[in-house]
């Protein structure tokens, strides 16, 4: 069990820290000043010290200096009402891990203690927090995050699919009529309420109107991105708005959605950000490719999305220690210019991860693949029925 | 016995020069005889008029229309990606309705300040361009920090950030005037570039405070000018604290003219994170695409 030492001349602070440490399952000891703190550290080892600055007998910086002088590198978080830059800079030179200004919130103390003691296992949470469907490549590129950069607090936030930010209420109502019931959505009409929503919830897609009175949409976009790094941000604009699409993309939006909405563009949005599960379903080592439904001119996008999803799906199969990945393309449209290329992509992914590849296709599919030299050597089984 | 290094007499010289320039600039500011590139009379009138809460969009438009540069700037803002969706605006009242009077205020102050950061002397122009770039970065970051920390009026944070170093170009103008008086030319610095930066750095704050008073700048801007290096823990979530944090962030990103004390900057960021309650994740994202966004904001 990690051990924590609180060094503070205030009994109230020591009591709060002790109570909090008990909640976190930490063992805790107390000292009233720097001298006592040093004595405690001679008696036994601690994993973390919460250190006040102003104390009688020996103050925090004095204790820290003596501690480092004798080669003790126990991590220290300063917990103080002192906010002078020179004092904190001096302590940083002696090696402190973090700083908490009194009065403080329990969440801040918890987050910083957890981080120093490495108790929260944030690396594992990152995957749990970010819905896979929201990780469109464009969204990732727009807001890169180092691995594991997700706080415990965000893990507790509620997931919602779409946030609509538009001062006209009818926009969200209209959208609601076009998306299936299982797709959840919220609507707000002001910048402040949008920021509040994004603090409290996790969204996959944020639709932001470019024409909210008195709102600088690009500034708001940037602020919301900080709170929703995994979300895709789409600008809402009118078809008649000249260069709005180009400007919005230059300004940092991932895409543009034109108003008034039409069924095709909403279907496109759903396919792009929400239907990945049905586009490529993985069961054990079988990757089942879903059929194409939609307008002919969306076919390219269907194949592109599949190609993007393949790597992740193949990695899952490899991670589960299968020797072979089976890709079922019996429902896929047979396009000489696209289908063989997709399977070559699958073969490349499998080779990279050390898997063999087997293909399940219709008889026509098998014939198509055997007609190209690059795909003729693939192991293809014909689907029954 | 102390050994006098080369840097010591230079520092003493800069200190004396700084004190002299400060005294001259403050006196001339007080007498209204400092030859500053002032904003156009329309911009000045507009700034005064907009303080009246009863001012209508129609009245504001009538003023804006009198200055072609201002009118162009307002129209550009209304048609930018930040605001536009409908047809291009065709009139100033239409543009003002779209951007709002608060945005107009930002444009007016920005225009006034920006003129200060211009110089025909190429070396001063380059130095002031860096100061302007830093100011713009601090303004944009302060606006984001304020919005994310729930500090009311993030637009005030933008203005305060933009103006927190407004004393620097004024000191630069004072130095330039002194140079003209001495050597009657403006082809080269009469002092070394590093000494020039040092003098500006030494005296810009009191000069900036005097400018803020003279221009009746918002209180938050005056506070940011007066002290941008120590937080005020009495009012944690204040506009000025947002500017202080933003200032440290911009310095960390290398957007600054002059030397940066990394220890100081790191300490300011560490204190600011706790003071303002900024999550570590958000902190990492604040400067994302900052240079690109600056480029967009600076483009004509």
């Amino acid at each position: 069990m990690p051990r924590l030492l609180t060094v503070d001349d205030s009994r109230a602070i020591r009591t709060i820290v002790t109570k909090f440490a008990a909640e976190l399952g930490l063992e805790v000891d107390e000292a009233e000043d720097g001298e006592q703190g040093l004595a405690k550290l001679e008696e036994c080892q601690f994993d973390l010290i919460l250190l006040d600055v102003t104390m009688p007998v020996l103050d925090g910086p004095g204790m820290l200096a003596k501690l480092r002088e004798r080669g003790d590198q126990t991590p220290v978080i300063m917990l103080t009402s002192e906010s002078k830059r020179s004092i904190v800079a001096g302590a940083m030179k002696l090696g402190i891990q973090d700083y908490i200004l009194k009065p403080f919130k329990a969440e801040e103390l918890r987050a910083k203690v957890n981080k120093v003691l490495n108790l929260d296992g944030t690396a594992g949470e990152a995957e749990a927090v970010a819905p896979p469907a929201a990780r469109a490549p464009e969204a990732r590129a727009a807001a890169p995050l180092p691995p594991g950069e997700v706080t415990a607090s965000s893990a507790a936030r509620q997931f919602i699919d779409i946030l609509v930010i538009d001062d006209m209420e009818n926009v969200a109502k209209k959208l609601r009529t076009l998306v299936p019931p299982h797709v959840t959505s919220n609507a707000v009409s002001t910048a402040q309420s949008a920021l509040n929503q994004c603090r409290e919830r996790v969204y996959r897609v944020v639709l932001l109107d470019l024409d909210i009175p008195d709102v600088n949409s690009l500034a708001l976009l940037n602020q919301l991105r900080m709170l929703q790094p995994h979300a895709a941000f789409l600008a809402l604009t009118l078809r008649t708005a000249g260069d709005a699409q180009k400007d919005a993309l230059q300004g940092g939006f991932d895409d543009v959605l034109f108003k008034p909405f039409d069924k095709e563009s909403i279907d496109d949005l759903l396919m792009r950000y929400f239907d990945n599960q049905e586009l490529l379903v993985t069961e054990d080592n079988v990757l089942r490719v879903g059929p194409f439904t939609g307008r002919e001119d969306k076919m390219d996008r269907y194949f592109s999305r599949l190609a993007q999803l393949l790597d992740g799906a193949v990695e899952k199969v490899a991670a589960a220690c299968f020797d072979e990945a089976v890709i079922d393309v019996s429902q896929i449209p047979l396009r000489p210019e696209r289908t063989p290329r997709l399977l070559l992509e699958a073969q490349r992914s499998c080779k990279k991860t050390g898997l063999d590849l087997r293909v399940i296709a219709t008889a026509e599919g098998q014939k198509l693949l055997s007609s190209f030299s690059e795909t003729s050597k693939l192991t293809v089984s014909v689907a029954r029925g | 016995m102390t050994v006098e290094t080369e840097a010591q007499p230079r520092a003493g010289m800069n200190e004396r020069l700084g004190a002299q320039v400060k005294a001259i600039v403050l006196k001339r500011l007080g007498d209204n005889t400092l030859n500053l590139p002032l904003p156009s009379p329309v911009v000045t009138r507009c700034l005064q008029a907009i303080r009246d809460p009863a001012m209508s969009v129609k009245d504001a438009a009538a003023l804006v229309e009198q200055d072609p540069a201002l009118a162009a700037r307002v129209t550009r803002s209304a048609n930018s990606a930040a605001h536009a969706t409908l047809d291009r605006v065709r009139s100033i009242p239409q543009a003002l309705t779209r951007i709002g009077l608060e945005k107009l205020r930002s444009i007016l102050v920005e225009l006034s300040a920006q003129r200060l950061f211009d110089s025909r002397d190429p070396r001063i122009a380059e130095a002031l361009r860096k100061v302007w770039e830093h100011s713009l970065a601090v303004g944009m970051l302060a606006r984001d920090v304020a919005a994310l920390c729930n500090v009311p009026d993030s637009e005030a944070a933008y203005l305060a950030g933009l103006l927190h170093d407004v004393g620097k170009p004024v000191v630069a103008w004072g130095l330039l005037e002194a140079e003209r008086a001495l050597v009657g030319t403006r082809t080269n610095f009469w002092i070394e570039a590093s000494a020039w930066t040092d003098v500006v750095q030494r005296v810009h704050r009191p000069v900036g405070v005097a400018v803020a008073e003279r221009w009746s700048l918002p209180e938050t801007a005056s506070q940011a000018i007066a002290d941008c290096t120590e937080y005020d823990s009495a009012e944690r979530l204040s506009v000025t604290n947002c500017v202080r944090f933003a200032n440290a962030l911009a310095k960390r990103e290398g957007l600054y003219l002059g030397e940066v004390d990394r220890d100081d900057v790191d300490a300011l960021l560490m204190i600011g994170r706790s003071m303002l309650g900024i999550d570590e994740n958000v902190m990492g994202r604040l400067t994302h695409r900052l240079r690109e966004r600056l480029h967009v904001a600076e483009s004509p």
Side-chain angles (χ1 to χ4, degrees):
Chain A
M1 184 185 289
R3 289 172 61 84
L4 184 151
L5 175 65
T6 168
V7 188
D8 203 304
D9 59 334
S10 157
R11 184 196 293 265
I13 294 290
R14 294 199 309 271
T15 308
I16 291 168
V17 170
T18 303
K19 189 167 166 261
F20 152 83
E23 281 169 18
L24 279 182
L26 307 176
E27 216 174 284
V28 66
D29 207 343
E30 302 177 20
E32 289 179 25
D33 56 54
E35 286 284 359
Q36 274 192 19
L38 288 170
K40 294 268 181 192
L41 281 151
E42 276 187 351
E43 286 166 22
C44 61
Q45 260 200 322
F46 289 88
D47 299 289
L48 173 63
I49 304 165
L50 292 180
L51 182 61
D52 190 14
V53 169
T54 312
M55 291 180 290
V57 188
L58 179 63
D59 65 10
M63 176 187 150
L64 184 59
K66 287 192 174 180
L67 195 67
R68 298 304 187 226
E69 261 171 36
R70 66 190 198 198
D72 189 329
Q73 295 300 327
T74 306
V76 171
I77 294 178
M78 294 205 87
L79 180 60
T80 175
S81 50
E82 180 58 73
S83 63
K84 271 209 186 83
R85 174 183 46 123
S86 55
I87 290 176
V88 178
M92 285 175 84
K93 278 184 191 155
L94 290 168
I96 56 168
Q97 268 58 39
D98 219 324
Y99 164 95
I100 298 171
L101 181 66
K102 294 176 190 170
F104 56 91
K105 286 184 182 168
E107 302 94 78
E108 185 185 3
L109 185 60
R110 186 176 299 115
K112 289 181 175 172
V113 167
N114 278 346
K115 191 182 167 216
V116 173
L117 294 177
N118 202 16
L119 294 178
D120 56 359
T122 46
E125 277 173 12
E127 284 305 311
V129 167
R135 294 183 154 198
E138 299 87 342
R140 271 209 309 264
L145 267 184
E149 202 187 326
V150 172
T151 58
S153 60
S154 64
R157 287 150 74 189
Q158 185 190 1
F159 286 112
I160 306 279
D161 291 322
I162 302 175
L163 174 64
V164 183
I165 309 165
D166 198 306
D167 57 313
M168 298 187 193
E169 282 179 22
N170 195 51
V171 174
K173 282 185 192 160
K174 179 68 183 173
L175 182 77
R176 208 47 271 174
T177 64
L178 294 169
V179 298
H182 69 269
V183 174
T184 51
S185 65
N186 281 154
V188 294
S189 58
T190 65
Q192 200 51 54
S193 41
L195 286 162
N196 289 341
Q197 282 288 329
C198 287
R199 270 188 206 100
E200 291 161 11
R201 295 176 173 82
V202 178
Y203 290 94
R204 286 184 180 191
V205 174
V206 178
L207 307 180
L208 170 56
D209 183 31
L210 291 182
D211 197 24
I212 304 173
D214 277 356
V215 170
N216 179 335
S217 310
L218 295 187
L220 180 61
L221 165 73
N222 193 55
Q223 290 152 8
L224 296 177
R225 268 212 193 279
M226 289 176 223
L227 298 169
Q228 299 286 323
H230 297 286
F233 283 80
L234 277 66
L236 291 177
T237 182
L238 286 182
R239 286 179 175 76
T240 50
D243 294 333
Q245 182 167 16
K246 195 176 121 210
D247 290 351
L249 294 176
Q250 270 179 355
F253 280 95
D254 297 311
D255 211 339
V256 172
L257 186 62
F258 290 114
K259 296 192 289 186
F261 303 132
D262 57 46
K263 184 85 176 73
E264 284 77 21
S265 55
I266 298 299
D267 284 350
D268 194 34
L269 175 121
L270 293 172
M271 187 176 102
R272 196 175 168 83
Y273 297 104
F274 298 99
D275 284 348
N276 296 343
Q277 300 272 326
E278 288 158 31
L279 207 58
L280 187 70
V281 178
T282 310
E283 284 170 21
D284 296 331
N285 65 332
V286 180
L287 316 179
R288 190 161 290 114
V289 178
F292 172 73
T293 52
R295 288 189 341 214
E296 190 66 18
D297 60 350
K298 304 291 179 196
M299 183 74 82
D300 276 356
R301 182 161 280 177
Y302 165 83
F303 275 102
S304 304
R305 289 295 299 140
L306 274 175
Q308 285 164 0
L309 294 169
L310 265 176
D311 269 351
V314 169
E315 276 172 17
K316 265 191 200 169
V317 174
C321 275
F322 287 101
D323 301 322
E324 176 191 64
V326 179
I327 183 163
D328 181 349
V329 292
S330 54
Q331 297 185 75
I332 202 171
L334 296 175
R335 297 296 157 110
E337 75 284 8
R338 302 300 308 246
T339 314
R341 202 182 298 163
L342 180 76
L343 287 160
L344 285 173
E345 280 291 312
Q347 192 183 35
R348 187 194 49 78
S349 286
C350 286
K351 205 172 168 187
K352 204 168 66 181
T353 45
L355 291 174
D356 292 328
L357 175 69
R358 188 153 57 91
V359 181
I360 299 177
T362 58
E364 291 80 10
Q366 187 186 36
K367 200 172 156 193
L368 174 71
L369 294 173
S370 62
S371 67
F372 290 92
S373 59
E374 295 94 330
T375 49
S376 60
K377 289 186 183 139
L378 285 173
T379 312
V380 183
S381 311
V382 176
R384 286 182 207 151
Chain B
M1 194 180 86
T2 55
V3 179
E4 199 173 66
T5 64
E6 201 184 323
Q8 280 171 335
R10 201 178 295 154
M13 212 167 69
N14 291 350
E15 196 177 337
R16 283 194 297 279
L17 179 60
Q20 282 169 9
V21 169
K22 180 178 134 188
I24 294 168
V25 170
L26 287 178
K27 183 174 182 307
R28 297 193 61 182
L29 262 175
D31 302 344
N32 204 14
T33 54
L34 186 63
N35 188 21
L36 288 177
L38 289 169
S40 79
V42 173
V43 170
T44 312
R45 277 214 306 281
C46 239
L47 264 172
Q48 284 162 353
I50 210 165
R51 288 193 191 105
D52 177 4
M55 186 181 192
S56 68
V57 167
K58 197 177 152 195
D59 296 338
L63 272 172
V64 169
E65 281 164 349
Q66 292 171 27
D67 183 327
L70 176 60
R73 181 70 175 263
V74 166
T75 311
R76 182 169 72 94
S77 180
N79 282 329
S80 72
H83 292 281
T85 63
L86 302 166
D87 293 334
R88 295 295 208 201
V89 293
R90 290 183 186 84
S91 68
I92 297 298
Q94 201 185 355
L96 285 180
T97 308
R98 187 172 288 181
I99 66 171
L101 290 181
E102 263 313 296
K103 180 66 188 172
L104 173 64
R105 190 162 78 112
S106 287
I107 291 173
L108 290 168
V109 178
E110 212 172 308
L111 271 179
S112 310
Q114 200 168 10
R115 292 205 56 181
L116 278 179
F117 288 82
D118 205 5
S119 171
R120 275 177 290 181
D121 184 300
R123 291 175 71 186
I124 294 180
E126 176 55 18
L128 290 183
R129 191 194 62 74
K130 284 188 180 160
V131 178
W132 175 250
E133 186 185 58
H134 168 73
S135 301
L136 200 55
V138 174
M140 289 166 71
L141 289 167
R143 175 168 57 197
D144 289 347
V145 170
L148 293 167
C149 300
N150 246 339
V151 174
D153 204 354
S154 56
E155 203 56 38
Y158 172 74
L159 271 189
L162 191 74
L163 297 172
H164 79 288
D165 273 350
V166 76
K168 287 185 178 175
V170 178
V171 176
W173 277 91
L175 277 167
L176 196 63
E177 284 212 354
E179 175 199 22
R180 282 175 192 158
L182 275 174
V183 289
T185 174
R186 56 162 188 269
T187 51
N188 280 310
F189 277 137
W190 57 304
I191 53 174
E192 280 177 34
S194 60
W196 184 91
T197 309
D198 187 36
V199 170
V200 170
Q201 193 62 41
R202 279 170 193 275
V203 296
H204 79 94
R205 296 221 171 273
V207 170
V209 169
V211 172
E213 251 175 54
R214 183 136 196 90
W215 287 8
S216 307
L217 293 180
E219 180 64 22
T220 46
S222 301
Q223 285 166 358
I225 293 165
D227 185 2
C228 215
T229 53
E230 291 286 1
Y231 292 99
D232 176 7
S233 56
E235 197 191 347
R236 283 184 173 205
L237 294 180
S238 66
V239 163
T240 321
N241 279 347
C242 293
V243 175
R244 288 165 183 147
F245 187 76
N247 189 32
L249 259 182
K251 285 181 181 177
R252 193 192 65 177
E253 294 299 306
L255 291 162
Y256 189 66
L257 173 72
E259 280 182 27
V260 171
D261 183 334
R262 292 293 305 196
D263 294 334
D264 259 10
V265 167
D266 289 345
L268 277 166
L269 291 174
M270 195 181 251
I271 301 166
R273 272 182 51 215
S274 188
M275 176 90 59
L276 298 162
I278 293 177
D279 185 274
E280 196 176 349
N281 304 335
V282 168
M283 162 96 176
R285 293 175 209 130
L286 270 165
T287 50
H288 180 59
R289 295 179 70 240
L290 180 62
R291 283 179 193 273
E292 275 175 62
R293 288 190 286 132
L294 272 177
H295 183 69
V296 171
E298 280 182 311
S299 60

